Amino acid sequence: MGEQQAETPGGNGQGCGHNLLGTGALAGAVGIKDYMAENHLEGTIKLFGCPAEESGYGKAYMARAGLFDNLDVALAWHPMDISGPWSISSLAVYQVYYNFKGVSAHAAAAPEHGRSALDAAELMNIGVQFLREHIIDDARVHYAFIDAGGESANVVQPTSSLYYFIRAPKIEQVDAIYQRINKIAQGAALMTETELTIDFDSALQLLTKSGINSSNV
């Protein structure tokens, strides 16, 4: 098999097929309408556009606002490599930024004056790796470095940021894992004498109701 290549190098793309969601949903609604007309079936079809479909969880806000209350059935779809119904549940998720702030210093001349935010981020990740043995098998924890402190190896990095996805079948399970990851992050900050802030990218409403503290709540 050859490696799949972009049609336009450096152009826009979506590996998960989300660029097809709107047109596919429209085609589905039109197809159901035509089927009903051909078979003389009565009913009302409603087509909903979904803002902030992925990280913003637009459907949750729409459901809370009552937009789906009068529906008998709701259908959604997602591009896939096969055609068929999907009858399993997806995972609940928290998306969280962990930001460390340290003190820069010359790494050769005066390293004792520095407090490395990058060290803190790396120690946090190591702690989370050890945590994996002690969470449920269906949970998923992944991360990306958003800020690794710069491009110079001769400077004690004063900033570092991680973007974490914490997933599990139930929101309560996600929250329990999140609480433990927070403790790991706090421990990494203590070990390196750096400052830690935790910012939510999503799921903020649920977290606020449960009394979880965050720097941007």
Side-chain angles (χ1 to χ4, degrees), residues 36-209:
M36 293 176 65
E38 292 172 2
N39 292 275
H40 309 288
L41 300 175
E42 294 185 357
T44 301
I45 302 169
K46 293 184 177 181
L47 175 64
F48 294 94
C50 182
E53 181 274 330
E54 190 161 79
S55 296
Y57 304 104
K59 292 184 184 68
Y61 287 89
M62 294 167 72
R64 188 175 65 181
L67 269 66
F68 309 133
D69 287 354
N70 296 322
L71 302 182
D72 294 313
V73 62
L75 299 175
W77 85 288
H78 194 287
M80 193 64 177
D81 56 354
I82 60 172
S83 296
W86 190 25
S87 59
I88 63 175
S89 175
S90 57
L91 298 176
V93 59
Y94 284 3
Q95 297 172 210
V96 189
Y97 289 98
Y98 292 90
N99 307 300
F100 295 94
K101 181 180 180 182
V103 179
S104 63
H106 195 287
E112 70 277 10
H113 295 309
R115 298 294 182 268
S116 175
L118 182 58
D119 285 356
E122 292 189 296
L123 285 167
M124 176 186 172
N125 285 337
I126 291 171
V128 172
Q129 308 317 324
F130 281 101
L131 175 66
R132 293 182 191 279
E133 180 186 358
H134 306 288
I135 60 178
I136 60 174
D137 290 342
D138 290 334
R140 302 288 184 268
V141 180
H142 12 264
Y143 64 88
F145 270 94
I146 302 301
D147 172 20
E151 299 180 356
S152 175
N154 200 32
V155 174
V156 176
Q157 290 86 352
T159 62
S160 190
S161 295
L162 296 162
Y163 189 28
Y164 262 74
F165 277 41
I166 308 166
R167 306 181 194 258
K170 302 294 183 182
I171 197 74
E172 295 82 4
Q173 297 167 326
V174 177
D175 191 57
I177 297 169
Y178 160 81
Q179 298 287 358
R180 298 188 72 178
I181 289 176
N182 278 1
K183 292 177 182 178
I184 292 171
Q186 292 161 2
L190 285 172
M191 284 188 285
T192 54
E193 295 186 336
T194 56
E195 298 177 12
L196 168 69
T197 59
I198 302 171
D199 296 325
F200 282 96
D201 181 55
S202 62
L204 185 57
Q205 295 298 319
L206 290 172
L207 296 172
T208 304
K209 290 179 181 178

